[in-house]
Amino acid sequence: MKGVHFLMSLVLLALATSFASASDPDPVQDFCVAVDDPKSALFVNGKFCKDPKHANADDFFFSGLNKPGDTSSQLGSNVTTVNVNQIPGLNTLGISIVRIDYAPYGLNPPHTHPRATEILVVAEGTLEVGFVSSNQDNNRLFTKILNEGDVFVFPVGLIHFQINRGHKNTVAFAALSSQNPGVITIAKAVFGSDPRINPDVLTKAFQVDKNVIDYLQKQFWVDNNN
Ligand SMILES: *[C@@H]1O[C@H](CO)[C@@H](O)[C@H](O)[C@H]1NC(C)=O
């Protein structure tokens, strides 16, 4: 019995230590500038909370992921997002879902989710997917061809992409480990920022002629979701 008590207190001690060393909760929006006057505050951890007594099933419901997104843009892909902005009940729960449609040769261009790991399943068609590890890991490319029912994981923050190399449409669904994962589309963020980044920065960074950077900065950059 004494031994059990000793074990219990060890477990409690371990728990207490882990609580004491817990870090801040991860942000669920890009930034949250502190204000002194609560009247001018807009968001607390992304959203305000509803009185739980007034919550109902519709707060946890979304209908429409059976509908394909329009893939007629130059990228040939479309991401339909279902996050805390579509399902308010997702607030603070750390999860969301998307449907991604790809026309033949459609591309979901290299992008990252600053706040989420993504797990993707192919529902229809085929998909070439990949992510690149960080500098510390020598920027290794991890790539696969996925068929129906295949699942692939894109770890949080890493640059990743998907392309449909098949002759018919591809449909995938992906769950993300944030109520608001965020998206940074690399080419658009680097060459299509508002205002544009000084070309000297990009000329040196990409080791190309200034005309190349001028050309890229003049393009009209699109993304397929936000
Ligand atoms: C994605 O598809 C939806 C539904 O068809 C459409 O309203 C939206 O404009 C499309 N987005 C892009 C970026 O093509």
Side-chain angles (χ1 to χ4, degrees), residues 22 119 139 161 176 182:
I119 184 164
N139 302 126
F161 59 86
L176 295 111

Side-chain angles (χ1 to χ4, degrees), residues 33-152:
V33 179
V35 287
D36 291 330
D37 177 8
K39 282 206 192 95
S40 56
L42 278 179
F43 298 115
V44 179
N45 209 19
K47 304 278 176 192
F48 281 127
C49 303
K50 195 177 192 176
D51 181 339
K53 284 199 292 288
H54 299 144
N56 59 57
D58 281 332
D59 292 328
F60 301 90
F61 175 75
F62 173 88
S63 181
L65 275 198
N66 58 324
K67 292 193 199 90
D70 176 355
T71 56
S72 62
S73 79
Q74 64 201 74
L75 289 169
S77 71
N78 188 310
V79 182
T80 308
T81 51
V82 184
N83 56 39
V84 71
N85 298 315
Q86 288 76 34
I87 303 187
L90 280 177
N91 197 29
T92 75
L93 296 184
I95 196 165
S96 57
I97 193 168
V98 298
R99 170 185 173 131
I100 317 172
D101 289 279
Y102 311 80
Y105 311 108
L107 170 71
N108 191 8
H111 63 280
T112 82
H113 303 290
R115 293 176 287 274
T117 289
E118 173 172 349
I119 184 164
L120 175 146
V121 59
V122 175
E124 265 176 60
T126 62
L127 205 54
E128 181 177 326
V129 301
F131 69 80
V132 176
S133 67
S134 65
N135 299 4
Q136 200 174 35
D137 189 60
N138 292 321
N139 302 126
R140 283 191 298 149
L141 172 67
F142 294 69
T143 183
K144 269 280 187 197
I145 310 277
L146 306 183
N147 294 300
E148 283 173 23
D150 289 351
V151 173
F152 199 74

